[in-house]
Amino acid sequence: MTHKVSRIALLAGALLAAAGCSVQDRANDTLNGMHSTRLLVDESVAGGMGGTAAYNTEQTMNAFLTGYSYWDNTPRGSAQIARPVIHRKAGGTGTYEDPVTLAVGHVKRNGRSYMDYPAGTKFYIKNLQRYAIVEDLCGDGPKPQAGPCHSGYQGHDWLDIYVGGKGISESWVDGCMNRITGIQPVILNPRPGYPVSPGEIAASGCATF
């Protein structure tokens, strides 16, 4: 279901304190000319105004990508998700027809969560060569909007992709997720036909392309 706050908070703190330069350098080298939709998404979706203009056409943008696994999901040691669309549990092979589960930040008001991207929104993650679909919430507690999943990282939306990892050492999976973490290009509302390297992300060793 939702990613544990403790791990997200630790990751955010570590990145800001130690890895910010390397992440920003990578972004400067490879992402010139692309942009984030941070403010547009916050105003139209999380703000509850119901706008949908951001989701009608394919759009390349920068996003801050992290991973969550079977081991650090909530509840721990499960593949439960909060907003199932095509999967009953977190999963997916990464094809256009079977995209990988993705968690996004959310705002909680009066007991209801307003997602940064609506459930069912598709992305294409270029560095992983996989399609992904929003089916889960990132950030726990009564005020998830105060956490990094919704706040984003260096002005970029935070996307948290499910890597799997059941049957694999938790410490190894943690290292695997660290390898895919960073600001990188993604495509919102992607068309079919982009290159795909299908399969569980952790089982592939979190390979990037």
Side-chain angles (χ1 to χ4, degrees):
M1 196 176 292
T2 49
H3 201 294
K4 284 189 174 292
V5 167
S6 57
R7 186 178 185 277
I8 285 286
L10 287 171
L11 177 59
L15 286 167
L16 289 170
C21 291
S22 61
V23 171
Q24 188 60 53
D25 289 346
R26 201 181 327 162
N28 289 339
D29 289 343
T30 61
L31 305 177
N32 290 330
M34 300 177 198
H35 60 283
S36 169
T37 57
R38 174 83 256 158
L39 294 178
L40 177 59
V41 169
D42 280 354
E43 291 170 2
S44 65
V45 179
M49 292 189 286
T52 58
Y55 309 109
N56 293 333
T57 58
E58 182 173 283
Q59 178 181 350
T60 299
M61 56 184 277
N62 298 344
F64 182 64
L65 184 74
T66 56
Y68 73 110
S69 75
Y70 175 86
W71 297 110
D72 65 358
N73 194 19
T74 303
R76 177 177 169 79
S78 80
Q80 289 189 28
I81 52 178
R83 299 291 187 270
V85 177
I86 64 173
H87 304 110
R88 297 184 66 184
K89 294 185 176 181
T93 61
T95 64
Y96 185 83
E97 296 77 16
D98 185 27
V100 181
T101 297
L102 193 71
V104 298
H106 58 118
V107 173
K108 188 172 286 187
R109 295 195 186 100
N110 300 320
R112 181 178 177 185
S113 289
Y114 296 86
M115 303 173 73
D116 291 352
Y117 288 93
T121 302
K122 278 188 178 181
F123 288 87
Y124 177 72
I125 314 298
K126 292 184 176 183
N127 289 351
L128 297 180
Q129 289 192 350
R130 284 173 175 83
Y131 289 88
I133 186 169
V134 176
E135 295 187 302
D136 208 355
L137 303 176
C138 179
D140 290 337
K143 293 185 177 180
Q145 57 266 35
C149 291
H150 172 70
S151 300
Y153 179 73
Q154 295 186 355
H156 302 287
D157 291 347
W158 191 312
L159 305 178
D160 202 27
I161 194 166
Y162 184 71
V163 304
K166 182 179 180 180
I168 305 176
S169 161
E170 181 177 2
S171 61
W172 188 92
V173 175
D174 284 345
C176 181
M177 291 188 290
N178 288 339
R179 288 195 289 277
I180 68 172
T181 297
I183 299 171
Q184 50 196 277
V186 302
I187 299 174
L188 171 66
N189 294 326
R191 59 173 173 77
Y194 287 110
V196 171
S197 179
E200 182 183 277
I201 295 172
S204 76
C206 293
T208 56
F209 301 88

